[in-house]
Amino acid sequence: MLWKRISKLRTVLGVLNRKVPSYGRFKPRHFCSVPPVGQGHTIFALSSGRGKCGVAVIRVSGPASAFCLCQLTRMKQGLPPPRTAVLHSISDPNSGELLDRGLLLWFPGPQSFTGEDCAEFHVHGGPAVISAILQALGSLPGLRPAEAGEFTRRAFQAGKLDLTEVEGLGDLIHAETEAQRRQALRQMAGDLGHLYQTWSHTLTRALAHLEAFIDFSEEENIEDGVLNQVDNFVRQLQMEIHSHLHDNRRGERLRSGVHVVIAGEANAGKSSLLNAICQRPAAIVSPIAGTTRDVVETALDIGGFPVLLSDTAGLRDTHDIIEKEGVRRTRERLEQADLTVALLDVVGLLEASNKLTHLLFSFLEDLNVRQKQQCILVLNKIDLLHKKELNDLHCALKKEEDLPTVCWLSCKTGSGIEEFLRVLRAELEILCGNPLLGMPSLTQARHRSHLHKCLEALGLYEYYKRADMALAAEGLRSALASLGRITGKVGAEEILNLIFRDFCIGK
């Protein structure tokens, strides 16, 4: 009798320990033949770039992902193993017509980018193939085309990414230079979000201590020095946020590009220098003074840093209405410049050698150059001087310590261009910094705004802590909410559309 009971118990335990087939690995055939009902929309889109290419990636996310994968492949054995590429034919679910042969990938949720069930079709990148597969997906019940950024939005809503990581992903998609790529990767990896989360945890701890003091101090159950700890937390946080904000806009410059303006007198060779940097005829060059009358802009990658380079109209007094407007635009662009390339005709300097210092500083003042670090002084047309004349000017300028970095070159012969580009790259690195070193840089105006509000709220704590602890605690709560809005932990809904609208369809 006992033996029978033991045998029965073993049977029961065996059934309980038996591994049930996971729908994440192989969905049963009946699951693939019936679309899920009442579980929300399943979205699909082309995730790779548009246009002819070797391979195109079409992504599907949502509860009907398994259903659509089975409908387009007619797999008899069910779904492929998760995260394993399988070569298979892809057919129209209605007519059965072969559309293409490609790689299929199955990502069961929550172990996917969006946290939902996902599928990917890696197919040939011809427009007709892509169009046919997208139409086939659109014909299935429960599926609809994705909106811009909707895949990433679902990843955020599933807790896969915070808002700083979402913004880092967006920056990575739009990165055009090495430095932009490095900064975006670091932010997408969570470095910036981790910094803000650390500050949030510090502030939460300070608020908890303050609330405890308010609620229990009369019962004398609170340790001595609790308020001093709160003060220390707040002061340390204020210092760190203040330092983070005063970073000379390095991260924002790197993200959007450094504005470099070439400015100087008419016929000094500004357009020739622009063409030499671009290595193409971007601007018209002629011996006639005043040829350039508008701002000529070109986007460049210089040493891995993004640059918006502007050639401007020559600065001089003129009665020509069009040229006057050009000079006005030049001065307007100089106000916006991150770096000014001040260009002078070296022949004119030689003629005014007796008042060289006065002429140079008057020229820089006219260009609105406030710090020598914001400027590179370029002396052009050195090919027109004899060697002795050039040496005399070199010696005279070496005595002036307050001048910005001086570059000597000839746009006509190309002499000195390489040295100028080396100096320009060094200045760009100072302005943008190294995105891989130190604390992660502030990259968004949205972050800057919320951090300023956080500092203002911490100031309210300092103001009220002697008079009203409840109002002081409210200041800490407001500061915590401002930090939370950066990562999306609180009050995120109103800014989601602003962030995701810049994503491409399929991301």
Side-chain angles (χ1 to χ4, degrees):
M1 192 70 175
L2 179 62
W3 175 251
K4 287 184 179 180
R5 288 183 179 178
I6 292 173
S7 299
K8 188 174 183 181
L9 181 60
R10 283 179 175 173
T11 303
V12 171
L13 290 175
V15 171
L16 291 176
N17 291 328
R18 188 185 304 157
K19 289 187 178 179
V20 178
S22 170
Y23 281 2
R25 185 168 178 80
F26 292 103
K27 301 267 187 182
R29 184 66 193 162
H30 69 84
F31 185 91
C32 296
S33 60
V34 180
V37 178
Q39 298 183 35
H41 286 290
T42 296
I43 56 174
F44 65 90
L46 175 67
S47 288
S48 53
R50 295 209 172 264
K52 296 178 181 178
C53 55
V55 177
V57 179
I58 296 172
R59 175 183 283 175
V60 182
S61 178
S65 296
F67 168 71
C68 79
L69 191 58
C70 291
Q71 289 296 303
L72 266 69
T73 60
R74 304 293 180 184
M75 285 186 170
K76 296 179 180 179
Q77 72 276 22
L79 293 174
R83 293 167 293 281
T84 302
V86 174
L87 179 64
H88 204 278
S89 58
I90 301 167
S91 305
D92 187 290
N94 299 311
S95 66
E97 178 188 357
L98 179 67
L99 302 178
D100 194 16
R101 281 181 62 82
L103 293 177
L104 311 174
L105 285 159
W106 164 241
F107 302 94
Q111 295 176 321
S112 68
F113 174 71
T114 62
E116 304 174 314
D117 285 352
C118 289
E120 287 184 3
F121 298 84
H122 294 223
V123 298
H124 295 98
V129 174
I130 295 169
S131 177
I133 295 175
L134 291 177
Q135 286 182 24
L137 289 170
S139 69
L140 295 174
L143 273 74
R144 64 166 175 82
E147 298 175 0
E150 191 169 1
F151 287 93
T152 307
R153 183 167 186 155
R154 291 189 177 198
F156 165 73
Q157 290 171 335
K160 293 288 186 175
L161 302 169
D162 68 24
L163 282 184
T164 61
E165 292 167 338
V166 167
E167 289 164 330
L169 176 57
D171 289 346
L172 184 63
I173 292 170
H174 294 101
E176 296 180 347
T177 71
E178 277 297 295
Q180 285 179 320
R181 178 187 63 79
R182 290 173 183 146
Q183 176 170 276
L185 271 175
R186 188 176 182 189
Q187 184 170 334
M188 194 182 75
D191 286 17
L192 193 60
H194 179 71
L195 174 65
Y196 297 150
Q197 284 296 333
T198 301
W199 289 346
S200 292
H201 293 155
T202 300
L203 203 47
T204 302
R205 190 176 177 189
L207 181 59
H209 285 191
L210 184 58
E211 294 280 11
F213 182 84
I214 293 171
D215 292 340
F216 304 111
S217 60
E218 294 181 0
E219 300 174 12
E220 299 182 354
N221 292 325
I222 298 298
E223 297 177 7
D224 294 335
V226 167
L227 288 183
N228 289 336
Q229 289 182 11
V230 175
D231 285 344
N232 290 337
F233 286 147
V234 171
R235 276 195 294 269
Q236 181 66 27
L237 192 57
Q238 285 174 318
M239 289 172 55
E240 291 181 11
I241 294 176
H242 190 271
S243 173
H244 188 58
L245 284 170
H246 291 77
D247 65 343
N248 202 25
R249 293 182 54 248
R250 287 195 300 269
E252 289 159 286
R253 279 200 185 104
L254 183 52
R255 180 174 178 268
S256 59
V258 182
H259 290 261
V260 178
V261 176
I262 304 173
E265 297 176 347
N267 213 29
K270 298 182 296 300
S271 297
S272 297
L273 180 59
L274 175 77
N275 292 344
I277 297 171
C278 297
Q279 298 183 340
R280 63 182 177 85
I284 297 173
V285 176
S286 84
I288 303 170
T291 301
T292 303
R293 297 190 172 197
D294 202 351
V295 178
V296 178
E297 290 184 336
T298 183
L300 296 171
D301 177 349
I302 299 179
F305 297 99
V307 172
L308 185 63
L309 186 62
S310 301
D311 177 26
T312 57
L315 296 174
R316 65 172 180 173
D317 294 326
T318 177
H319 298 292
D320 188 299
I321 296 175
I322 298 176
E323 193 172 354
K324 273 186 177 181
E325 175 61 20
V327 171
R328 187 196 68 78
R329 294 187 181 191
T330 297
R331 297 199 180 280
E332 182 179 68
R333 196 52 58 95
L334 284 168
E335 288 287 339
Q336 302 166 356
D338 296 313
L339 177 65
T340 301
V341 176
L343 195 69
L344 271 175
D345 183 341
V346 74
V347 176
L349 285 183
L350 187 67
E351 294 171 353
S353 57
N354 58 335
K355 50 180 181 178
L356 182 63
T357 303
H358 174 73
L359 187 146
L360 285 174
F361 283 107
S362 296
F363 171 65
L364 294 175
E365 185 178 352
D366 189 41
L367 294 185
N368 197 33
V369 174
R370 294 173 292 279
Q371 299 178 19
K372 65 180 182 180
Q373 291 86 355
Q374 296 176 328
C375 178
I376 301 173
L377 180 59
V378 177
L379 304 181
N380 188 27
K381 303 184 182 181
I382 60 172
D383 58 296
L384 299 180
L385 297 185
H386 296 296
K387 189 173 182 180
K388 182 180 182 307
E389 295 172 329
L390 202 55
N391 288 336
D392 291 343
L393 277 177
H394 265 290
C395 293
L397 291 184
K398 279 183 179 178
K399 299 175 184 177
E400 299 298 333
E401 296 181 355
D402 292 331
L403 282 175
T405 304
V406 180
C407 292
W408 307 74
L409 56 82
S410 169
C411 291
K412 184 176 181 180
T413 65
S415 174
I417 294 291
E418 283 299 320
E419 174 61 18
F420 165 73
L421 289 174
R422 185 193 67 77
V423 171
L424 180 57
R425 281 193 293 268
E427 291 290 338
L428 292 173
E429 188 167 359
I430 292 171
L431 287 169
C432 296
N434 187 332
L436 299 181
L437 298 179
M439 288 176 61
S441 296
L442 201 161
T443 60
Q444 301 270 350
R446 183 181 74 82
H447 302 175
R448 190 175 294 277
S449 173
H450 288 310
L451 288 173
H452 277 299
K453 289 177 181 177
C454 180
L455 282 180
E456 290 173 6
L458 293 177
L460 288 177
Y461 162 80
E462 295 285 355
Y463 181 79
Y464 284 115
K465 66 180 181 181
R466 304 288 182 199
D468 190 326
M469 285 294 179
L471 289 177
E474 188 59 35
L476 293 187
R477 271 191 291 272
S478 179
L480 187 60
S482 294
L483 284 178
R485 289 188 183 97
I486 299 177
T487 57
K489 298 301 181 184
V490 294
E493 190 60 35
E494 66 271 18
I495 57 176
L496 288 183
N497 290 333
L498 294 176
I499 292 174
F500 292 110
R501 71 180 181 186
D502 293 330
F503 276 76
C504 57
I505 305 293
K507 192 60 186 168

